[in-house]
């Protein structure tokens, strides 16, 4: 398994030589980078016990990279935490473990063992029940258990309509409830970081980044990402007009479904049974940028299920990131 | 990244836009239209919007109104941020709500925006909300606007109707100091002149709204002196401190001289930008500096070019928008966040409320309420860095936080600054406090006795004073009641007057200690914040807080001056313990339960501590 990982063509991890290299960023990315670093420093300076929520995806990779730059030449002054549903792609877990193995990071895992023991899984339960049990609940519990007062995540405003209204520093009431009607107004890049007893903060340094910005930054900074983002022949099943990946033996095919091998990639990464692939031939970061440029005007209908109603808003109110 | 097919615009910073206008003027529809017609809407979003709106129709506002409650009410209740790009330029658009109760969001959006899109309708013209939004935006730093006159279809695309509204807008903008970039007739629902030119308004020869946004050029940034508000200090393994922050003005290089806001001169030994060593950094970059000589400067300090003085502000004159539904009170103390510093600020005076119709400031007896724009003066409980907003945005913009509720209660800009050292210079004193103290052969300190009336402060003050006198130690009592007959005779018992009372006593106590005396302060001093300020004024190392504590019912029973009886009878207003609260010290240097031990024992405990601390 490890061998497969090493053979997969990925860009090199950030090292000190690259940190010293001349910046290759254009004015737009430099501005976004400076803003994100300033927010990360604010989170460190103003909170007692901040944590970076690390989900292994491209946004988390960018966030981790920025956090190291924000505190260079010092070391990263906060741990990472991964809410592991145990149904992530195997390649994601290998990527995560390789990152930890390189050293210099403390990674905390949050798993809802109780729900797993009761048989929670993404095949027998609908997506929202599963997400609440395996993501929202363990996140809330881990924040409480470790006494984190600020959880920093890679969510972006361009991802989803209710996220478009998120604050950079977003208050959660006791019980981790998001009340979008009583958010703190944010002026001039000044953030009120005071917390009432029992309240916690979520912090989003990539608020103003778009998907395109993320990929262009990954390219400019040579940031390593999970190879699942790049097109490759993968085992998939056609269901409801989407390509669902068959990542391990736990996948259940329905009557009439056959496993095919199709050249696909993933635009976002989550739990594999809930993450549809897109047909693509983008094998490098450059290819992905080109694909995004042409996708902007084309028909793309593959993610309808993520956008029905305002499910993200409801999940966020319950404490989802 | 130079990529074939990548619009050159993508490598330039986004133009930050905001919308202004009354709630029914169709802002969300206009933005939805702008997003849709410029191709920024993904197909799957569009399917969803069409489905929600019913067959065949697209409700463009649906693309923007994100939250459930808004869609149910058909209004925008919060600021939504949208991103879109054309071949020529990329944009960030903050869609701020129109209703008056969300004025604060307008101000927040304006504090980030570079260009405003003002929406008015040809049918209704300039509304009170239009005026209000434009005034607020101007006050929060916006300088340029595009005017879109919407619903031209409802006036038959009539040129005269357009011209009449355009003239009103021109006068309004001129009065507010806002520059109009273009005035455009629009029919947002049908999309006329939003992205494409409309066929029904051949008389209009200017650009479409999008064309105007694409070609707008930002005023060139002004070159200023280097200003670095310190945000965070890194402690490097093996020793050494590195100061981090975002360069707010100017540019710096290794070797450049800087001054701290405390007046210390330093040089930049090493410079990093976004984690990389660099030879030069510009305004806006997130930098880190190692200083030579190394100084213990932490968050809230400011490093500037030697030509600029930013530190030492003690009084600010400000313009603010009040954000919450309880009133701003003169005399209250709030947490002021300005630059990277957070300090206690006392609202020393409310000059008046800004009337948005006339832009005049009128003194007002009415309570300051939500959305009011106010001119006020703050006195800072410790000197802090600040500059007028017109000179520097980073050190001239602030928010005000109410510590009790943790809410952001106001945001605003600094109009004027008075500094401790320059505006009223210090007169040099030739005999130092140390020499005076050594002449008296003692080490001065201030014993600050706080507690409810009847807790035993005066009894203990006298007891300790007699002991010191007997030991041949020069001492003095500052008694709260006695001072109210003279120095503080002009003060009543409102929260503001109590704070002022404590402030004056603190300064007198500090002078007495400078004169070499052992000072015993006997003062109810009910507010934790004000006592903390007294500690700062007097000096941490010679301030001893003694909590003279007895339960309220014991104090009431003792009632040595008959004050509780009068308060209960209603002939004494605002009496602490009866009508207003007492904030007990959270960590006093000494806590005496006078209901449990004899006065003589309490007095002995005080003297023991004074000895232990080396003051006797």
């Amino acid at each position: 398994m490890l061998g497969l990982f090493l053979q997969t063509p990925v860009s090199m991890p950030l090292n000190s030589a690259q940190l010293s290299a001349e910046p290759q960023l254009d004015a737009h990315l430099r501005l976004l980078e400076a803003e994100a670093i300033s927010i990360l420093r604010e989170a460190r300076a103003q909170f007692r016990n901040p944590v970076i929520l690390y989900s292994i995806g491209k946004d988390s990779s960018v966030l981790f990279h920025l956090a190291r730059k924000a505190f260079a030449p010092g070391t990263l002054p906060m741990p990472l935490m991964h809410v592991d549903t145990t149904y992530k792609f195997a390649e994601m877990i290998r990527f995560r473990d390789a990152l930890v193995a390189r050293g210099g990071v403390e990674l905390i895992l949050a798993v809802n063992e109780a729900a797993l023991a009761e048989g929670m899984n993404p095949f027998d339960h609908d997506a929202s029940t599963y997400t609440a049990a395996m993501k929202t609940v363990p996140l809330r519990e881990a924040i409480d258990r470790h006494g984190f007062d600020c959880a920093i995540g890679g969510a972006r405003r361009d991802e989803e309509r209710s996220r478009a209204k998120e604050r950079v520093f977003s208050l959660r009431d006791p019980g981790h409830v998001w009340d979008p009607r009583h958010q703190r107004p944010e002026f001039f890049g000044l953030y009120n970081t005071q917390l009432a007893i029992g309240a916690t903060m979520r912090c989003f340094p990539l608020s103003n980044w778009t998907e395109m910005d993320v990929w262009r930054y990954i390219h400019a900074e040579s940031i390593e990402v999970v190879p699942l983002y790049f097109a490759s022949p993968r085992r998939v099943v056609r269901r409801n007009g989407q390509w669902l990946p068959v990542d391990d033996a736990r996948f259940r095919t329905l009557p009439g479904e056959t496993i095919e091998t199709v050249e696909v990639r993933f635009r976002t990464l989550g739990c594999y049974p809930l993450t549809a692939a897109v047909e693509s031939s983008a094998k490098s970061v450059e290819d992905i940028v080109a694909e995004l440029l042409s996708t902007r005007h084309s028909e793309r209908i593959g993610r309808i299920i993520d956008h029905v109603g305002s499910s993200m808003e409801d999940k966020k109110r319950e404490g989802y990131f | 990244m130079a990529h074939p097919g990548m619009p050159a615009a993508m490598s330039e910073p986004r133009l930050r836009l905001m919308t202004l206008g009354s709630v029914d003027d169709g802002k969300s529809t206009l933005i939805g239209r702008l997003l849709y017609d410029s191709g920024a809407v993904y197909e799957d979003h569009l399917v969803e919007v069409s489905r929600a709106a019913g067959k065949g129709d697209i409700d463009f506002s649906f693309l923007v109104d994100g939250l459930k409650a808004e869609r149910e009410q058909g209004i925008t209740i919060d600021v939504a941020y949208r991103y879109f790009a054309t071949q020529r330029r990329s944009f960030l658009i903050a869609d701020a709500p129109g209703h008056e109760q969300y004025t604060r969001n307008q101000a927040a959006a304006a504090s980030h925006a570079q260009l405003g899109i003002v929406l008015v309708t040809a049918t209704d013209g300039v509304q009170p909300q239009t005026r209000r939004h434009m005034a607020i935006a101007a006050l929060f730093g916006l300088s340029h606007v595009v005017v879109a006159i919407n619903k031209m279809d409802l006036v038959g695309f009539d040129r005269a109707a357009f011209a009449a509204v355009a003239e009103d807008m021109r006068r309004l903008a001129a009065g507010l100091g806002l520059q109009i970039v273009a005035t455009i007739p629009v029919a947002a629902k049908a999309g006329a002149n939003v992205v494409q030119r409309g066929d029904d308004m051949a008389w209009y020869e200017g650009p479409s709204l999008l064309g105007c946004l694409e070609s707008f050029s930002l005023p060139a940034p002004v070159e200023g002196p280097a200003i670095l508000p310190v945000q965070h200090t890194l402690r490097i393994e093996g020793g050494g401190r590195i100061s981090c922050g975002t360069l707010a003005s100017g540019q710096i290089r290794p070797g450049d001289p800087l001054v701290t806001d405390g007046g210390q001169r330093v040089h930049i030994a090493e410079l990093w930008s976004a984690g990389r060593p660099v030879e030069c950094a510009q305004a806006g970059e997130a930098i880190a500096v190692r200083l030579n000589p190394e100084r213990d400067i932490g968050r809230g300090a400011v490093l500037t070019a030697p030509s600029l003085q930013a530190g030492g502000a003690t009084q600010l004159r400000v313009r603010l928008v009040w954000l919450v539904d309880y009133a701003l009170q003169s005399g209250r103390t709030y947490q002021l966040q300005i630059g990277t510093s957070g300090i206690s600020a006392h609202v020393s005076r409310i000059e008046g409320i800004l009337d948005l119709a006339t832009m005049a400031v009128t003194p007002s007896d009415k309570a300051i309420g939500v959305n009011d724009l106010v001119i006020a003066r703050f006195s800072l409980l410790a000197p802090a860095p600040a500059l007028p907003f017109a000179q520097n945005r980073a050190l001239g913009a602030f928010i005000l936080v109410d510590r009790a509720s943790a809410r952001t209660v106001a945001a605003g800009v600094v109009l004027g600054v008075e500094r401790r050292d320059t505006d009223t210079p210090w007169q040099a004193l030739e005999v130092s406090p140390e020499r005076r103290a050594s002449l008296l052969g003692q080490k001065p300190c201030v014993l600050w006795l706080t507690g409810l009336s009847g807790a035993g402060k005066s009894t203990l003050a006298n007891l300790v004073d007699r002991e010191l006198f007997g030991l041949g130690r020069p001492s003095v009592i500052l008694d709260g009641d006695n001072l109210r007959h003279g120095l503080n005779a002009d003060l009543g018992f409102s929260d503001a007057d109590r704070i002022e009372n404590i402030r004056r006593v603190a300064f007198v106590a500090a002078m007495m200690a400078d004169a070499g005396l052992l000072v015993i302060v006997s003062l109810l001093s009910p507010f934790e914040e004000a006592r903390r300020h007294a500690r700062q004024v007097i000096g941490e190392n010679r301030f001893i807080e003694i909590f003279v504590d007895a339960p309220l019912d014991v104090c009431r029973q003792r009632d040595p001056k008959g004050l509780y009886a009068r308060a209960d009878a209603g002939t004494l207003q605002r009496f602490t313990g009866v009508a207003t609260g007492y904030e007990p010290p959270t960590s006093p240097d000494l806590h005496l339960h006078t209901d449990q031990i004899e006065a003589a024992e309490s007095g002995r405990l005080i003297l023991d501590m004074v000895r232990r601390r080396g003051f006797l």
Side-chain angles (χ1 to χ4, degrees):
Chain A
M1 289 300 232
L2 190 64
L4 177 71
F5 174 66
L6 291 173
Q7 284 159 25
T8 315
V10 292
S11 44
M12 291 299 291
L14 179 116
N15 58 40
S16 56
Q18 278 166 310
L19 271 177
S20 308
E22 279 299 302
Q24 298 297 309
L25 299 175
D26 57 50
H28 171 62
L29 292 178
R30 274 211 310 276
L31 197 69
L32 287 174
E33 180 187 61
E35 180 190 62
I37 288 176
S38 166
I39 295 165
L40 281 157
R41 286 170 173 174
E42 195 70 7
R44 177 57 276 185
Q46 296 287 67
F47 291 90
R48 186 179 36 80
N49 193 12
V51 63
I52 292 175
L53 286 187
Y54 177 74
S55 71
I56 318 179
K58 63 187 190 307
D59 304 310
S60 286
S61 291
V62 167
L63 185 62
F64 175 60
H65 180 87
L66 287 165
R68 289 206 291 173
K69 295 186 84 168
F71 302 103
T75 51
L76 186 64
M78 50 184 101
L80 307 184
M81 181 161 79
H82 179 220
V83 179
D84 193 346
T85 61
T86 71
Y87 283 90
K88 300 291 177 190
F89 289 90
E91 260 179 295
M92 291 173 71
I93 301 304
R94 282 198 296 275
F95 183 88
R96 178 195 74 191
D97 293 346
L99 176 106
V100 175
R102 283 198 292 273
V105 230
E106 180 195 349
L107 179 84
I108 295 165
L109 289 183
V111 182
N112 189 348
E113 301 285 0
L116 283 179
E118 287 168 15
M120 178 55 68
N121 68 66
F123 304 108
D124 296 318
H125 299 88
D126 64 78
S128 45
T129 308
Y130 167 79
T131 303
M134 295 313 296
K135 292 176 92 169
T136 308
V137 169
L139 172 66
R140 289 195 315 219
E141 285 179 359
I143 286 174
D144 292 343
R145 190 169 61 249
H146 294 278
F148 293 126
D149 49 358
C150 179
I152 306 164
R156 294 175 283 110
R157 284 176 177 150
D158 87 320
E159 282 180 80
E160 202 270 342
R161 271 203 322 240
S162 70
R163 280 195 166 150
K165 307 213 163 181
E166 262 289 9
R167 297 295 189 257
V168 172
F169 281 88
S170 180
L171 193 64
R172 294 295 179 276
D173 295 336
H176 304 276
V177 180
W178 183 54
D179 182 356
R181 301 201 64 168
H182 292 99
Q183 302 200 80
R184 289 176 177 172
E186 291 180 340
F187 292 85
F188 303 108
L190 291 166
Y191 303 109
N192 172 4
T193 50
Q194 296 205 24
L195 296 175
I197 290 168
T200 53
M201 197 66 88
R202 304 291 178 271
C203 168
F204 304 107
L206 306 185
S207 283
N208 289 326
W209 295 50
T210 62
E211 184 183 14
M212 178 65 99
D213 296 332
V214 166
W215 281 113
R216 289 181 53 232
Y217 188 75
I218 285 170
H219 182 263
E221 294 282 296
S222 306
I223 298 169
E224 186 183 8
V225 294
V226 183
L228 291 162
Y229 285 111
F230 304 111
S232 178
R234 291 189 172 91
R235 282 160 34 94
V236 289
V237 159
R238 194 76 178 158
R239 186 181 295 171
N240 298 329
Q242 294 179 314
W243 289 116
L244 291 188
V246 182
D247 198 60
D248 61 36
R250 293 178 294 183
F251 190 89
R252 299 179 199 165
T253 50
L254 301 178
E257 285 180 344
T258 51
I259 296 174
E260 300 170 61
T261 299
V262 180
E263 186 168 56
V264 292
R265 73 176 198 91
F266 296 89
R267 213 163 153 181
T268 58
L269 292 179
C271 298
Y272 78 82
L274 300 174
T275 308
V278 291
E279 285 181 50
S280 169
S281 57
K283 290 190 167 56
S284 65
V285 179
E286 289 94 325
D287 292 349
I288 289 174
V289 171
E291 186 184 273
L292 287 178
L293 280 171
S294 60
T295 307
R296 186 161 280 278
H297 299 273
S298 76
E299 296 189 356
R300 191 179 70 85
I301 211 159
R303 292 168 69 202
I304 295 171
I305 204 154
D306 298 346
H307 293 276
V308 172
S310 192
S311 57
M312 178 69 90
E313 183 182 342
D314 290 334
K315 277 188 275 179
K316 280 167 67 70
R317 282 172 183 272
E318 290 161 15
Y320 183 74
F321 213 61
Chain B
M1 164 170 42
H3 196 283
M6 192 189 100
M10 217 174 259
S11 58
E12 290 304 313
R14 290 193 177 97
L15 181 65
R16 297 193 301 273
L17 303 169
M18 73 175 291
T19 56
L20 308 94
S22 196
V23 65
D24 295 322
D25 291 349
K27 282 188 298 173
S28 292
T29 303
L30 182 81
I31 294 171
R33 191 83 224 188
L34 205 53
L35 298 178
Y36 176 75
D37 285 358
S38 62
V41 180
Y42 286 128
E43 188 67 20
D44 45 338
H45 289 171
L46 208 54
V47 167
E48 188 186 328
V49 168
S50 315
R51 187 192 298 138
K55 279 199 171 112
D57 255 344
I58 294 175
D59 180 351
F60 291 100
S61 66
F62 215 87
L63 290 168
V64 185
D65 295 344
L67 300 172
K68 257 187 182 172
E70 301 178 7
R71 289 199 299 277
E72 284 156 11
Q73 294 168 21
I75 53 154
T76 310
I77 60 165
D78 210 321
V79 188
Y81 296 90
R82 298 286 153 188
Y83 307 83
F84 70 102
T86 67
Q87 289 295 312
R88 291 174 62 193
R89 196 168 206 169
S90 53
F91 302 93
L92 162 60
I93 187 161
D95 181 26
H99 280 279
E100 186 158 3
Q101 68 262 40
Y102 301 113
T103 297
R104 57 185 205 158
N105 292 322
Q106 269 295 323
S111 78
H112 300 285
Q114 296 165 316
L115 177 64
I117 303 171
V118 187
L119 207 64
V120 288
T121 61
T123 47
D124 298 328
V126 174
Q127 297 292 300
Q129 274 302 302
T130 321
R131 177 186 298 278
R132 188 172 182 87
H133 284 180
M134 287 174 70
I136 289 167
L139 297 180
F140 280 82
L142 192 74
S143 54
H144 292 77
V145 294
V146 176
V147 176
I149 300 181
N150 194 19
K151 303 194 183 175
M152 285 300 295
D153 45 331
L154 297 187
V155 295
F157 303 102
D158 178 41
R159 184 177 194 169
F162 167 78
V165 178
E167 176 54 22
D168 287 349
M169 287 299 294
R170 192 193 60 75
R171 262 190 260 124
L172 175 57
L176 295 169
L178 281 169
Q179 215 170 313
I180 294 183
V181 175
T183 305
I184 305 167
V186 161
K189 263 206 175 115
N193 285 343
V194 176
V195 171
Q196 314 294 336
R197 298 293 308 273
D199 298 333
D200 302 300
M201 290 175 275
W203 48 266
Y204 173 72
E205 291 171 345
S208 72
L209 177 61
L210 184 65
C212 177
L213 302 181
E214 285 180 328
S215 60
F216 171 69
S217 51
L218 282 169
V222 187
E223 271 290 313
I227 301 176
L228 177 63
V230 177
Q231 191 182 12
H232 181 61
T233 306
L234 298 174
R235 295 193 200 295
I236 302 300
E237 257 176 77
R241 288 193 189 87
I242 288 171
S243 305
C244 304
T246 300
L247 194 61
S249 161
Q251 55 169 275
I252 56 174
R253 298 165 187 281
D256 281 358
L258 293 174
V259 287
T260 67
D261 55 293
Q264 298 169 312
R265 293 185 162 264
V266 292
H267 284 82
I268 298 173
E270 279 184 274
L271 173 66
W272 294 263
S273 177
R276 291 187 172 99
V278 290
E279 286 304 314
C280 182
Q282 310 285 338
E285 293 186 33
I287 65 171
V289 292
R290 189 196 293 279
L291 300 176
N292 180 28
E294 199 170 88
R295 296 284 181 195
D296 189 14
I297 54 167
R299 184 183 168 86
V302 172
L303 295 160
T304 60
S307 60
L308 180 75
Q309 191 190 14
T314 53
Q315 306 274 333
L316 303 180
R317 184 164 180 266
V318 303
R319 184 167 52 210
L320 60 83
V321 59
W322 187 249
L323 303 171
V324 293
D325 45 16
Y326 52 90
L328 165 68
Q329 284 169 346
S330 189
R332 278 243 9 216
T333 298
Y334 300 93
Q335 167 89 3
L336 176 78
Q337 279 183 237
I338 184 165
T340 57
S341 63
I343 27 168
S344 294
H346 171 85
V347 182
S348 50
R349 199 172 143 214
I350 296 172
E351 286 187 18
I353 297 180
L354 195 65
D355 179 348
L356 290 177
T358 61
M359 295 306 281
V361 179
T362 46
S364 167
D365 289 338
K366 122 180 158 53
I368 304 297
V370 63
N371 292 327
D372 277 340
L373 286 154
V374 177
I375 308 285
R377 286 174 189 268
F378 294 158
S379 87
L380 309 186
L381 297 196
L387 288 170
F389 183 72
Q391 192 179 342
N392 183 263
R393 286 176 71 111
L395 288 186
F398 67 86
I399 59 172
L400 219 51
V401 177
D402 179 3
R403 281 218 191 81
S405 66
R407 289 174 75 183
T408 307
V409 292
V413 298
V414 175
L415 303 173
V417 181
E418 279 176 45
R419 289 177 209 288
R420 180 186 52 187
D421 294 336
T422 52
D423 301 339
T424 314
W426 283 94
Q427 213 45 252
L429 302 176
E430 292 178 9
V431 180
S432 70
E434 290 73 23
R435 289 176 65 200
R436 287 180 203 284
S438 72
L439 181 70
L440 293 176
Q442 67 182 6
K443 200 176 154 195
C445 67
V446 175
L447 303 171
W448 189 282
L449 275 55
T450 173
L452 288 171
S453 182
K457 298 183 298 296
S458 301
T459 307
L460 287 176
N462 273 311
L463 206 150
V464 171
D465 193 38
R466 274 202 314 273
E467 284 290 323
L468 293 172
F469 188 79
L471 293 166
R473 297 294 190 170
S475 61
V476 66
I477 294 181
L478 295 176
D479 182 89
D481 286 343
N482 293 354
L483 288 170
R484 279 186 179 274
H485 292 295
L487 175 66
N488 295 338
D490 58 325
L491 298 178
F493 292 88
S494 67
D495 285 1
D497 280 2
R498 283 175 189 276
I499 291 168
E500 176 60 16
N501 186 28
I502 298 166
R503 189 187 73 84
R504 291 183 194 176
V505 174
F507 277 99
V508 174
M511 278 188 274
M512 298 272 184
D514 283 350
L517 303 177
L518 295 164
V519 186
I520 306 159
V521 174
S522 167
L523 188 67
L524 201 151
S525 45
F527 303 124
E528 176 86 16
E529 184 63 43
R531 291 192 302 263
R532 193 180 310 146
H533 177 224
R535 183 186 286 271
Q536 281 172 17
V537 167
I538 290 162
E540 184 76 40
N541 52 9
R542 58 177 191 179
F543 180 91
I544 298 174
E545 186 178 48
I546 297 166
F547 181 18
V548 183
D549 187 13
L552 184 60
D553 52 326
V554 174
C555 294
R556 187 186 290 272
Q557 220 168 16
R558 291 176 182 164
D559 203 6
K561 297 168 196 158
L563 296 175
Y564 285 94
R566 285 180 53 203
D568 290 340
T571 59
L572 184 61
Q573 305 293 316
R574 301 193 59 80
F575 185 63
T576 306
V578 176
T580 68
Y582 175 80
E583 298 169 4
T586 46
S587 50
D589 297 282
L590 188 62
H591 188 163
L592 299 169
H593 296 275
T594 61
D595 58 322
Q596 293 164 25
I597 54 174
E598 292 299 319
E601 173 66 8
S602 290
R604 200 182 55 73
L605 288 171
I606 293 174
L607 287 164
D608 279 355
M609 192 188 54
V610 173
R611 273 194 200 92
R612 249 193 342 269
R613 299 243 173 134
F615 293 107
L616 265 185

